[in-house]
């Protein structure tokens, strides 16, 4: 198992992606799943030596056009396959998009011996289309109205995503969470198949932190000393512990104010705010909207920056100076 650097700080720190594995971006409506997915493609496709296959299941035609334009601007359209079944298509057409795109990916992997980056937006729409097809077939619904074949429908896609001796496959998927309910059967079934689960939070987005990742809920099988090294695990664990303590102090701060905290807790809150600001990042794919130049940050620079904040080496820096930037060296060295 080998870790794949995305260049996105919060992902590489808390939820590293695995080459040949399955990564998913979970979130409700409007929290930035497609933006994170598109930024990943932007960062990955230039250095990627294989073929990119994109499955657009039940999404907007505008998003497909934007992706096509991005691939053309990057000059990689000649090694990219785009398969779409938009939301106005019939349930049967939408249900088959994922399997059709995966068959194309398998052809590149098995017949041509190439590495494949397989991107899906949105796997929940595959489940939704299957639910509609199941209803048309007259099957009795299961929990929450889902088709009785929910687990099999998801497994038919997910379990085909793997590396073989002929070629590798890295999959990144968006998973819509209906009504922000992570106990929804479709979401829980998707979790079973995922190696790296990146959870986007509406509460984090409301505070203006983008990408709106919830580091306390995001998990990855690769966050293990065997794969990323002991230092990475220690830094990520210390960062999680700091953010968790900050969450515990929120109610006290909102009722009594920061001044009522102990000196140790005030220092902790300051470091937590600097850490949260540092984990924000301007994206290349949003430059036209934010007027901020996108940043790609290596995993080593991410670890160094987070370690510096945790150790107190950034306590003298203004909190705002760490917001929407790249590596820590940008602030330290101007």
């Amino acid at each position: 198992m080998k870790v794949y650097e995305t260049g996105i700080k919060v992902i590489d720190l808390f939820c590293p992606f695995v080459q040949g594995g399955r990564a998913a971006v979970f979130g409700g409506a409007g929290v930035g799943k497609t933006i994170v997915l598109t930024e990943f493609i932007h960062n990955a496709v230039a250095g990627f030596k294989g073929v990119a296959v994109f499955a657009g299941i039940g999404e907007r035609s505008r998003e497909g056009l934007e992706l096509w334009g991005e691939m053309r601007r990057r000059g990689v359209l000649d090694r990219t396959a785009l398969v779409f079944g938009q939301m106005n298509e019939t349930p049967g057409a939408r249900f088959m998009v994922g399997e059709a795109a995966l068959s194309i990916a398998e052809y590149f992997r098995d017949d041509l011996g190439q590495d494949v980056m397989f991107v899906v937006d949105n796997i929940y729409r595959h489940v939704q289309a299957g639910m509609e097809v199941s209803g048309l077939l007259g099957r009795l619904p299961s929990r929450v109205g889902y088709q009785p074949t929910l687990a099999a429908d998801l497994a038919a896609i997910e379990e085909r995503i793997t590396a073989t001796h002929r070629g590798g496959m890295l999959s990144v998927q968006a998973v819509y969470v209906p009504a922000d309910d992570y106990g929804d059967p479709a979401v829980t079934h998707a979790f079973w198949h995922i190696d790296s689960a990146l959870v986007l939070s509406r509460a984090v987005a409301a505070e203006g932190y983008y990408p709106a990742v919830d580091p306390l809920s995001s998990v990855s099988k690769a966050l293990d000393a065997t794969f990323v090294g002991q230092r990475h695990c220690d830094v990520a664990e210390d960062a999680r512990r700091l953010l968790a303590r900050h969450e515990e102090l929120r109610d006290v701060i909102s009722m009594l104010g920061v001044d009522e905290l102990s000196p140790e807790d005030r220092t902790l809150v300051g470091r937590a705010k600097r850490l949260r600001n540092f984990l924000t990042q301007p994206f290349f794919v949003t430059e036209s909207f934010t007027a901020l130049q996108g940043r790609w940050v290596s995993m080593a620079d991410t670890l160094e920056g987070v370690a510096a904040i945790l150790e107190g080496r950034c306590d003298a820096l203004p909190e705002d100076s760490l917001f929407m930037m790249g590596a820590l060296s940008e602030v330290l060295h101007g």
Side-chain angles (χ1 to χ4, degrees):
M1 187 183 290
K2 187 178 179 182
V3 173
Y4 186 90
E5 285 194 53
T6 67
I8 303 172
K9 291 182 286 188
V10 68
I11 295 178
D12 288 340
L13 176 65
F14 291 115
C15 189
F17 289 176
V18 180
Q19 288 188 3
R22 296 180 287 266
V25 183
F26 292 84
V31 295
K33 297 184 300 299
T34 300
I35 292 294
V36 171
L37 223 61
T38 311
E39 180 73 4
F40 168 79
I41 296 171
H42 175 281
N43 290 353
V45 79
F48 194 72
K49 303 304 181 185
V51 177
V53 179
F54 180 86
I57 308 175
E59 291 297 310
R60 305 167 186 85
S61 56
R62 169 185 59 80
E63 293 173 344
L65 180 62
E66 289 174 356
L67 179 66
W68 179 83
E70 181 65 28
M71 295 297 100
R72 186 176 65 170
R73 281 192 297 273
R74 299 290 292 174
V76 294
L77 206 56
D78 60 336
R79 51 191 178 93
T80 302
L82 307 174
V83 185
F84 294 103
Q86 299 306 297
M87 57 175 56
N88 62 338
E89 300 283 352
T90 62
R94 283 183 276 122
F95 186 68
M96 294 306 297
V97 168
E99 297 199 22
L102 191 50
S103 296
I104 294 171
E106 288 172 334
Y107 168 75
F108 286 121
R109 181 194 65 191
D110 299 335
D111 291 13
L112 302 186
Q114 294 183 303
D115 290 335
V116 181
M117 181 168 62
F118 183 59
V119 183
V120 184
D121 189 7
N122 186 300
I123 200 69
Y124 177 79
R125 304 299 179 195
H126 173 75
V127 172
Q128 200 172 40
M131 180 169 56
E132 295 176 45
V133 170
S134 182
L136 292 171
L137 293 174
R139 295 171 181 160
L140 289 175
S142 183
R143 292 171 54 203
V144 201
Y146 287 110
Q147 63 270 41
T149 56
L150 171 61
D153 289 348
L154 269 173
I157 292 279
E158 300 291 356
E159 294 307 312
R160 289 168 60 187
I161 301 172
T162 184
T164 69
H165 67 281
R166 291 282 291 154
M169 186 181 293
L170 168 66
S171 175
V172 184
Q173 310 166 22
V175 182
Y176 168 66
V177 180
D180 293 337
D181 178 16
Y182 284 89
D184 186 271
V187 178
T188 56
H189 277 74
F191 261 113
W192 295 347
H193 299 281
I194 299 303
D195 298 311
S196 302
L198 187 72
V199 177
L200 302 187
S201 164
R202 194 171 305 281
V204 175
E207 293 183 66
Y209 295 105
Y210 289 98
V213 175
D214 181 356
L216 302 180
S217 302
S218 301
V219 295
S220 173
K221 293 177 182 177
L223 194 57
D224 184 282
T226 308
F227 308 117
V228 295
Q230 190 60 51
R231 181 170 182 263
H232 189 142
C233 289
D234 292 343
V235 169
E237 185 60 33
D238 289 345
R240 275 208 176 103
R241 195 177 297 114
L242 176 70
L243 295 174
R245 178 57 180 159
H246 181 234
E247 287 297 315
E248 293 172 3
L249 293 172
R250 276 178 177 272
D251 290 340
V252 177
I253 295 170
S254 62
M255 289 186 294
L256 302 176
V258 179
D259 294 336
E260 295 302 315
L261 298 176
S262 66
E264 293 81 5
D265 283 341
R266 282 202 298 273
T267 300
L268 181 149
V269 168
R271 290 178 185 173
K273 288 181 177 179
R274 288 175 177 84
L275 177 60
R276 295 187 75 191
N277 282 344
F278 177 69
L279 293 176
T280 62
Q281 187 169 343
F283 281 177
F284 291 99
V285 297
T286 59
E287 285 179 353
S288 58
F289 306 107
T290 63
L292 296 173
Q293 183 181 354
R295 301 287 200 281
W296 188 94
V297 183
S298 69
M299 191 176 287
D301 286 342
T302 297
L303 289 178
E304 179 56 35
V306 173
I309 293 169
L310 295 174
E311 292 165 8
R313 287 183 272 147
C314 299
D315 287 357
L317 293 176
E319 293 173 11
D320 309 357
S321 64
L322 299 176
F323 185 72
M324 280 295 170
M325 42 136 349
L328 185 62
S329 58
E330 292 183 19
V331 175
L332 297 180
H333 306 301

